[in-house]
Amino acid sequence: AQSVAQPEDQVNVAEGNPLTVKCTYSVSGNPYLFWYVQYPNRGLQFLLKYITGDNLVKGSYGFEAEFNKSQTSFHLKKPSALVSDSALYFCAVRDSHTGRRALTFGSGTRLQVQP
Amino acid sequence: DVKVTQSSRYLVKRTGEKVFLECVQDMDHENMFWYRQDPGLGLRLIYFSYDVKMKEKGDIPEGYSVSREKKERFSLILESASTNQTSMYLCASAPWAANEKLFFGSGTQLSVL
């Protein structure tokens, strides 16, 4: 079975500071990993994905994520947070081994960036 | 841009009513999905479909059914709505390949009274 955990319900960071939103996963094969963001009253927007190759993946709005196979983690990062980054962030995984076509999502982390 | 359109943004229904949630995508995607989103629980998969007339149960299919008569349309049906089905419902579509991202609609906030 595929699963993903986001251990923090909320992350608070000051504008201009670096931010990290944590995600760990569990799969039997190789993972396909995704990050999505949800702004208030909006659907989910794709930020970035890791399929294979370079462990550091760059995405939209200056976000990046680091794949760490030994720690089964895929943390989302940004060097300098903006107030406009305040939103709900979801990590998701698909197991390449099972062939299940649906993504499994984490419980979400609310990011609050203070001015 | 891919567009996934959900027919209603807000819906209020009564307990016991039959409810239809409609979703249409315009990019000829093979895969379509229904998730529900609840605070603290994230997104949970209800049903998905990888082809016309094909469907598979997700993690929480009880109380729901789906219909996919045409490739672009995927309907979620609540046979007899209950208050615990009050939730945000999100439809998504994706191409066939397993490493492709999902495209989401704006969601339908359903309240069952």
Side-chain angles (χ1 to χ4, degrees):
Chain A
Q2 58 193 39
S3 66
V4 65
Q6 293 181 244
E8 302 153 317
D9 290 336
Q10 181 155 326
V11 170
N12 298 308
V13 64
E15 187 174 31
N17 283 359
L19 69 88
T20 299
V21 181
K22 295 180 180 177
C23 172
T24 58
Y25 66 88
S26 175
V27 295
S28 56
N30 291 318
Y32 298 144
L33 292 155
F34 301 78
W35 275 101
Y36 283 82
V37 60
Q38 187 179 42
Y39 298 102
N41 300 313
R42 302 277 294 276
L44 270 71
Q45 296 179 30
F46 171 77
L47 275 180
L48 50 81
K49 68 178 180 180
Y50 171 83
I51 302 301
T52 187
D54 195 347
N55 289 342
L56 187 64
V57 179
K58 294 189 183 297
S60 307
Y61 313 123
F63 283 93
E64 57 191 26
E66 187 169 10
F67 171 66
N68 187 317
K69 188 170 185 177
S70 63
Q71 297 186 5
T72 61
S73 67
F74 189 56
H75 301 331
L76 182 70
K77 300 182 180 185
K78 188 173 183 182
S80 178
L82 300 172
V83 172
S84 57
D85 292 330
S86 298
L88 189 55
Y89 291 80
F90 290 97
C91 182
V93 69
R94 184 187 287 130
D95 189 340
S96 64
H97 180 67
T98 63
R100 191 190 196 197
R101 303 210 156 267
L103 289 180
T104 296
F105 285 82
S107 55
T109 298
R110 187 165 299 282
L111 175 66
Q112 196 70 37
V113 182
Q114 283 114 10
Chain B
D1 269 1
V2 174
K3 195 163 186 182
V4 179
T5 303
Q6 295 184 231
S7 53
S8 304
R9 183 72 181 91
Y10 298 97
L11 211 51
V12 180
K13 296 292 181 181
R14 297 205 176 275
T15 303
E17 278 193 78
K18 190 169 186 176
V19 181
F20 293 86
L21 302 183
E22 306 286 347
C23 176
V24 177
Q25 51 97 1
D26 65 357
M27 280 300 291
D28 202 36
H29 286 166
E30 289 79 9
N31 297 312
M32 295 189 75
F33 310 87
W34 276 107
Y35 289 87
R36 64 176 280 178
Q37 180 182 1
D38 300 288
L41 297 177
L43 276 72
R44 292 179 292 166
L45 181 68
I46 304 171
Y47 266 98
F48 65 101
S49 168
Y50 53 88
D51 201 353
V52 175
K53 297 190 185 298
M54 304 302 290
K55 60 185 179 185
E56 284 199 26
K57 293 180 180 179
D59 300 317
I60 52 163
E62 297 78 18
Y64 303 94
S65 62
V66 290
S67 172
R68 193 163 181 204
E69 297 296 318
K70 293 184 178 181
K71 191 175 186 180
E72 67 270 19
R73 186 180 296 271
F74 192 37
S75 303
L76 180 69
I77 303 156
L78 286 66
E79 296 290 344
S80 177
S82 63
T83 54
N84 61 13
Q85 293 179 309
T86 292
S87 186
M88 170 67 81
Y89 290 87
L90 294 169
C91 175
S93 73
W96 177 252
N99 60 3
E100 290 288 344
K101 66 185 180 186
L102 271 60
F103 295 83
F104 281 87
S106 298
T108 296
Q109 178 63 51
L110 173 67
S111 296
V112 183
L113 306 178

